[in-house]
Amino acid sequence: MGSQKHSSLGSEEWNPWEGDEKNEQIASQQRYETNLQLLKNIKSQQEPTALRVQIWGKAAVGLYLWQHILEGLLEPADMTAQWREGSIKAGKTLFSFITGAAVVPGYFSVEADNVVLVLNGREEAKITYATQWLHYAQTLIQTHKLQHVAVLLLGNEQCNNEWIQPYLKGHGGFVELLFIIYDSPWVNKDDIFQWPLGVATYRNFPVVEPTWSMLRTPRSYLCNFLGTVYKNSSRETLMEVLKQDELDKLCWITAREQWQPQETNESFKNYQDALLQSDLTLCPVGVNTECYRIYEACSYGSVPVVEDVMTPGDCGNSSIYHNAPLQLLKTMGAPFIFVKNWKELPVVLEKEKNMNLQEKIQRRKKLIEWYRHFKAQMKQKFIHILENSFLPYEKG
């Protein structure tokens, strides 16, 4: 499809509101914010470095933090490289990031007094590996080679993360801060913070730059769902609803019975095309309500239709949030469509049919702008929490 070729413009020259006269006010606000951000970046570069933090990326979610949130680059670009590294200055902090199979305890130079350790705690084998890294960090703390340690944890999808508790400062351990993925009831905004799952960086999902055609081109499909349909799950209900009203003819639906961790190039390209060519992306719950699909849809301006249902396990409301599931996204005002049951979908799609292109364009802009702001907020929050905790005499 020739028309689907997207040239990616740099954020300085791309302005989604151009030519939209009634939104000129928003456009000038946007330019003001962009310039303010550029000035902040320049100021940040000139600020003396008060903190050096090395991030050890031992789980793919580290790439979401580094490339999507902190907007850092990695050398070499090849995802399969044994060793990849990058550095970036943000606020008073100089961050460096290392990842790859060659990053092994004891076999690389620890170049900062402060470390953020990115770990996968989803299943037993991963926990064993994560524990080895925690023991290594503990030794470095005990021998005064490190001063502070924070952990960013891909938690278990049922929020069974008890294994890490003994390592946390609040339980007599050495880990001062925990950024945890999924709706953990432990989140307290004091030393435990919820962190977004983000996109599937392990499948090489890219940082997507919005383009003119992504925003303005009419999309061929009302909705999409490309994924696994598990037996006796709400996904079966979703498939029935789509077939029953012949809604599957208006949507890009590719269902399979077995989960595939490794996409082929073709299936991944299809998935990206589906996001790009659909107004809505259906996000049924899996083992957890939060899934990569939500963030991937936002990247392409396709509104997530989220099944707003708690999944079995120990996830739930924390002491500071009371709107699980997806407490973090809801608190940040995510402009999604939430449904409690897929039987509500026909009404949602009927409404879609009656929307004109101009309304859809406005909604796309709103979603893409919200997602950009969300990532910027997470970046500020991450830096602020580290600086506040690791620079105790520089608070404020």
Side-chain angles (χ1 to χ4, degrees), residues 171 272 318 347 367:
H171 291 261
Q272 286 176 293
S318 63
V347 175
L367 176 64

Side-chain angles (χ1 to χ4, degrees), residues 54 56 98 104-117 132-149 174:
Q54 194 174 32
W56 301 347
I98 53 172
V104 177
Y107 288 88
F108 63 92
S109 61
V110 178
E111 290 170 3
D113 292 335
N114 312 287
V115 161
V116 176
L117 185 47
Q132 291 167 5
W133 274 97
L134 285 164
H135 287 166
Y136 175 57
Q138 190 166 25
T139 305
L140 293 177
I141 286 275
Q142 287 162 350
T143 53
H144 308 291
K145 300 220 170 59
L146 278 183
Q147 282 186 349
H148 303 286
V149 174
F174 65 95

